[in-house]
Amino acid sequence: MPELICPICKNPLNLKEKSYLCPKGHCFDIAKSGYVNLLPPSPGGKRHGDDKLMVKARSRFLDKGFYDPLSQEISQIINELVPDDAHIVDAGCGEGKYTADVLNFLESKGKTAHILGIDISKEALICAAKRSRRLSLCTASTAHMPIDDESVHLVLNIFSPFMPEEFHRVLKPGGKLVRIVPLEVHLWQLKELIYGS
Ligand SMILES: C[S@@+](CC[C@H](N)C(=O)[O-])C[C@H]1O[C@@H](n2cnc3c(N)ncnc32)[C@H](O)[C@@H]1O
Ligand SMILES: [Zn+2]
């Protein structure tokens, strides 16, 4: 996976059994549910990002297949952009549908890929881990990713906050950004049903 750095001291993190350790002794355990929390502690243990219900609703919707054509298109584009053994970050990966689809697609094309999904919501990552145990997942803000400079071949950013300077920092020279943004009519029929026309 892309080279992780300690969110506290910025030194490299090394995986030892089920924990990531930095040379200064900061330690981050991989939760049983399959993600590592690399968010700096927040005052009062504040909840971050989408909650369980929001994540479940998104998964239920995506599992109906409406966005499968988009996911296939994204996977094909990424396959053309990355080398074998590519390091990819899905910045704001949510519940991991696209993250897992891309990994499965690249592998179906005979490529090895190391994909790290980052999201500020731990509930989203618990769900992403269920989609594929072969994804690496960490809670962090994409405004300050716990990733070394110039260590990533491609950043994927789908319907999630855009952090151009941070994406540029982690991309290798010549690295690629694939960004999906909603336009005015995104989910229009659904909005009409909910809000009226
Ligand atoms: C609209 S969802 C899109 C999720 C996924 N990419 C998809 O298309 O299904 C936006 C995601 O961005 C996450 N998010 C919002 N602000 C973030 C931040 N600063 N850092 C990381 N993730 C963030 C939310 O938790 C949520 O999962
Ligand atoms: Zn450290």
Side-chain angles (χ1 to χ4, degrees):
M1 81 155 106
E3 286 165 50
L4 288 179
I5 56 172
C6 173
I8 299 166
C9 68
K10 311 291 178 208
N11 278 298
L13 284 176
N14 292 305
L15 182 61
K16 204 169 170 209
E17 290 164 21
K18 299 266 175 203
S19 303
Y20 285 95
L21 291 162
C22 83
K24 294 221 164 144
H26 302 123
C27 177
F28 306 90
D29 297 334
I30 300 174
K32 275 206 183 80
S33 46
Y35 74 97
V36 58
N37 180 17
L38 297 180
L39 269 172
S42 67
K46 195 172 146 284
R47 182 182 67 74
H48 291 280
D50 290 4
D51 64 22
K52 213 179 202 168
L53 270 181
M54 292 154 87
V55 169
K56 282 207 162 145
R58 183 177 298 279
S59 282
R60 260 204 321 272
F61 176 78
L62 289 172
D63 283 344
K64 295 211 187 312
F66 302 120
Y67 277 32
D68 285 358
L70 174 65
S71 196
Q72 277 160 22
E73 191 72 29
I74 293 168
S75 298
Q76 274 160 12
I77 289 169
I78 291 180
N79 184 40
E80 283 162 24
L81 292 176
V82 296
D84 191 19
D85 232 12
H87 293 247
I88 296 172
V89 171
D90 187 354
C93 65
E95 54 73 73
K97 182 217 168 22
Y98 303 101
T99 336
D101 282 358
V102 169
L103 179 63
N104 292 335
F105 187 85
L106 292 176
E107 289 182 348
S108 77
K109 297 289 169 194
K111 277 186 174 159
T112 304
H114 313 274
I115 306 191
L116 171 68
I118 297 183
D119 203 281
I120 207 158
S121 158
K122 81 167 197 183
E123 298 298 345
L125 296 185
I126 289 171
C127 190
K130 288 185 189 144
R131 290 204 180 268
S132 171
R133 280 309 226 183
R134 286 171 294 110
L135 294 171
S136 302
L137 299 163
C138 74
T139 49
S141 170
T142 50
H144 305 284
M145 295 194 282
I147 300 174
D148 206 0
D149 296 353
E150 300 189 357
S151 62
V152 171
H153 293 96
L154 185 139
V155 172
L156 177 59
N157 182 227
I158 306 178
F159 303 132
S160 294
F162 184 49
M163 310 286 182
E165 280 154 25
E166 185 64 353
F167 296 168
H168 185 252
R169 180 186 69 77
V170 301
L171 280 171
K172 289 176 185 285
K176 303 287 192 286
L177 168 69
V178 172
R179 188 178 173 219
I180 309 296
V181 289
L183 297 179
E184 298 80 45
V185 291
H186 181 63
L187 297 178
W188 190 254
Q189 293 89 341
L190 202 56
K191 285 176 187 158
E192 275 185 331
L193 278 178
I194 296 170
Y195 304 116
S197 42

